[in-house]
Short mmCIF file of all heavy atoms in Angstrom, two decimals:
data_model
loop_
_atom_site.label_atom_id
_atom_site.label_comp_id
_atom_site.label_asym_id
_atom_site.label_seq_id
_atom_site.Cartn_x
_atom_site.Cartn_y
_atom_site.Cartn_z
N MET A 1 27.17 8.47 7.51
CA MET A 1 27.79 7.22 7.05
C MET A 1 28.52 7.46 5.76
O MET A 1 28.17 8.33 4.99
CB MET A 1 26.73 6.19 6.83
CG MET A 1 26.49 5.38 8.14
SD MET A 1 25.20 4.24 7.83
CE MET A 1 23.89 5.28 7.29
N SER A 2 29.47 6.67 5.45
CA SER A 2 30.26 6.89 4.31
C SER A 2 30.05 5.83 3.22
O SER A 2 30.99 5.27 2.68
CB SER A 2 31.74 6.94 4.64
OG SER A 2 32.06 5.86 5.42
N PHE A 3 28.78 5.48 2.98
CA PHE A 3 28.52 4.53 1.94
C PHE A 3 28.55 5.23 0.63
O PHE A 3 28.37 6.43 0.53
CB PHE A 3 27.13 3.90 2.12
CG PHE A 3 26.86 3.20 3.41
CD1 PHE A 3 25.61 3.14 3.91
CD2 PHE A 3 27.94 2.73 4.14
CE1 PHE A 3 25.42 2.49 5.16
CE2 PHE A 3 27.74 2.07 5.32
CZ PHE A 3 26.49 1.94 5.88
N PRO A 4 28.77 4.45 -0.46
CA PRO A 4 28.69 5.06 -1.77
C PRO A 4 27.29 5.68 -1.94
O PRO A 4 26.30 5.16 -1.39
CB PRO A 4 28.81 3.82 -2.75
CG PRO A 4 29.35 2.75 -1.92
CD PRO A 4 29.12 3.00 -0.53
N SER A 5 27.24 6.80 -2.70
CA SER A 5 26.00 7.58 -2.62
C SER A 5 24.79 6.83 -3.27
O SER A 5 23.66 7.04 -2.76
CB SER A 5 26.20 8.93 -3.33
OG SER A 5 26.28 8.78 -4.68
N ASP A 6 25.05 6.01 -4.28
CA ASP A 6 23.87 5.31 -4.83
C ASP A 6 23.34 4.29 -3.85
O ASP A 6 22.15 4.02 -3.73
CB ASP A 6 24.09 4.77 -6.23
CG ASP A 6 25.42 3.92 -6.23
OD1 ASP A 6 26.21 4.06 -5.31
OD2 ASP A 6 25.49 3.06 -7.18
N GLU A 7 24.29 3.63 -3.13
CA GLU A 7 23.92 2.71 -2.12
C GLU A 7 23.08 3.43 -1.04
O GLU A 7 22.06 2.92 -0.62
CB GLU A 7 25.19 2.10 -1.51
CG GLU A 7 24.98 1.16 -0.35
CD GLU A 7 24.32 -0.17 -0.73
OE1 GLU A 7 24.40 -0.53 -1.92
OE2 GLU A 7 23.73 -0.80 0.13
N MET A 8 23.54 4.63 -0.74
CA MET A 8 22.88 5.39 0.27
C MET A 8 21.43 5.71 -0.15
O MET A 8 20.49 5.66 0.57
CB MET A 8 23.67 6.70 0.52
CG MET A 8 23.28 7.44 1.77
SD MET A 8 23.63 6.53 3.23
CE MET A 8 22.86 7.56 4.42
N ASP A 9 21.35 6.20 -1.45
CA ASP A 9 20.01 6.49 -2.00
C ASP A 9 19.08 5.34 -1.89
O ASP A 9 17.93 5.41 -1.48
CB ASP A 9 20.13 6.94 -3.42
CG ASP A 9 20.58 8.37 -3.55
OD1 ASP A 9 20.65 9.00 -2.56
OD2 ASP A 9 20.76 8.78 -4.73
N ASP A 10 19.65 4.13 -2.20
CA ASP A 10 18.85 2.96 -2.17
C ASP A 10 18.36 2.68 -0.73
O ASP A 10 17.23 2.30 -0.52
CB ASP A 10 19.79 1.73 -2.56
CG ASP A 10 19.47 1.28 -3.95
OD1 ASP A 10 18.77 2.07 -4.65
OD2 ASP A 10 19.82 0.16 -4.29
N ILE A 11 19.28 2.80 0.19
CA ILE A 11 18.92 2.60 1.59
C ILE A 11 17.80 3.59 1.99
O ILE A 11 16.83 3.17 2.67
CB ILE A 11 20.16 2.69 2.53
CG1 ILE A 11 21.08 1.52 2.21
CG2 ILE A 11 19.77 2.66 3.95
CD1 ILE A 11 22.28 1.50 3.06
N ILE A 12 17.99 4.82 1.64
CA ILE A 12 17.01 5.79 2.03
C ILE A 12 15.62 5.42 1.41
O ILE A 12 14.60 5.47 2.11
CB ILE A 12 17.44 7.27 1.60
CG1 ILE A 12 18.64 7.64 2.43
CG2 ILE A 12 16.30 8.21 1.74
CD1 ILE A 12 19.22 8.97 2.09
N ASN A 13 15.66 5.02 0.14
CA ASN A 13 14.35 4.61 -0.45
C ASN A 13 13.71 3.43 0.25
O ASN A 13 12.52 3.41 0.47
CB ASN A 13 14.57 4.22 -1.95
CG ASN A 13 14.78 5.48 -2.76
OD1 ASN A 13 14.41 6.58 -2.36
ND2 ASN A 13 15.42 5.28 -3.92
N ASP A 14 14.60 2.50 0.66
CA ASP A 14 14.10 1.37 1.43
C ASP A 14 13.47 1.87 2.76
O ASP A 14 12.36 1.42 3.17
CB ASP A 14 15.27 0.46 1.84
CG ASP A 14 15.42 -0.68 0.89
OD1 ASP A 14 14.75 -0.67 -0.15
OD2 ASP A 14 16.20 -1.61 1.21
N LEU A 60 20.60 7.39 9.45
CA LEU A 60 20.52 8.04 8.13
C LEU A 60 20.63 9.60 8.36
O LEU A 60 20.59 10.32 7.40
CB LEU A 60 19.21 7.69 7.47
CG LEU A 60 19.16 6.19 7.13
CD1 LEU A 60 17.75 5.83 6.64
CD2 LEU A 60 20.18 5.83 6.13
N PHE A 62 18.47 11.70 9.82
CA PHE A 62 17.29 12.52 9.73
C PHE A 62 16.89 13.04 11.15
O PHE A 62 16.10 12.45 11.86
CB PHE A 62 16.11 11.69 9.16
CG PHE A 62 16.37 11.15 7.86
CD1 PHE A 62 16.03 9.83 7.45
CD2 PHE A 62 16.92 11.94 6.87
CE1 PHE A 62 16.27 9.36 6.20
CE2 PHE A 62 17.17 11.47 5.56
CZ PHE A 62 16.86 10.17 5.27
N ARG A 111 12.52 15.12 -0.97
CA ARG A 111 13.84 15.79 -0.84
C ARG A 111 13.68 17.30 -1.00
O ARG A 111 14.40 17.94 -1.76
CB ARG A 111 14.78 15.29 -1.96
CG ARG A 111 15.18 13.89 -1.83
CD ARG A 111 15.88 13.33 -3.05
NE ARG A 111 15.62 11.90 -3.08
CZ ARG A 111 16.42 10.98 -2.47
NH1 ARG A 111 17.50 11.42 -1.88
NH2 ARG A 111 16.20 9.73 -2.57
N ARG B 19 20.18 -3.71 6.42
CA ARG B 19 21.02 -3.25 5.30
C ARG B 19 22.06 -2.27 5.79
O ARG B 19 23.23 -2.36 5.38
CB ARG B 19 20.09 -2.59 4.31
CG ARG B 19 20.62 -2.65 2.95
CD ARG B 19 19.58 -2.37 1.90
NE ARG B 19 20.33 -1.89 0.75
CZ ARG B 19 19.77 -1.46 -0.33
NH1 ARG B 19 18.46 -1.40 -0.41
NH2 ARG B 19 20.46 -1.07 -1.38
N ASN B 23 26.04 -2.87 5.70
CA ASN B 23 26.96 -1.92 4.99
C ASN B 23 28.13 -1.43 5.91
O ASN B 23 29.21 -1.30 5.49
CB ASN B 23 26.19 -0.72 4.48
CG ASN B 23 25.68 -0.92 3.05
OD1 ASN B 23 26.48 -0.87 2.16
ND2 ASN B 23 24.41 -1.20 2.90
N LYS B 26 30.59 -4.15 6.14
CA LYS B 26 31.32 -4.16 4.93
C LYS B 26 32.42 -3.17 4.96
O LYS B 26 33.57 -3.40 4.61
CB LYS B 26 30.40 -3.93 3.71
CG LYS B 26 30.96 -4.52 2.40
CD LYS B 26 29.84 -4.63 1.37
CE LYS B 26 29.78 -3.49 0.44
NZ LYS B 26 28.57 -3.50 -0.42
N GLU B 27 32.03 -1.97 5.49
CA GLU B 27 32.99 -0.90 5.62
C GLU B 27 34.18 -1.26 6.46
O GLU B 27 35.33 -0.82 6.19
CB GLU B 27 32.23 0.33 6.22
CG GLU B 27 32.59 1.66 5.65
CD GLU B 27 31.75 2.73 6.33
OE1 GLU B 27 30.56 2.61 6.38
OE2 GLU B 27 32.40 3.71 6.80
#
Side-chain angles (χ1 to χ4, degrees):
Chain A
M1 271 179 302
S2 49
F3 303 154
S5 73
D6 51 340
E7 175 70 21
M8 193 66 188
D9 279 356
D10 255 19
I11 292 181
I12 291 178
N13 286 339
D14 263 11
L60 299 171
F62 300 136
R111 293 167 207 273
Chain B
R19 207 166 156 183
N23 268 287
K26 202 160 98 191
E27 220 178 308

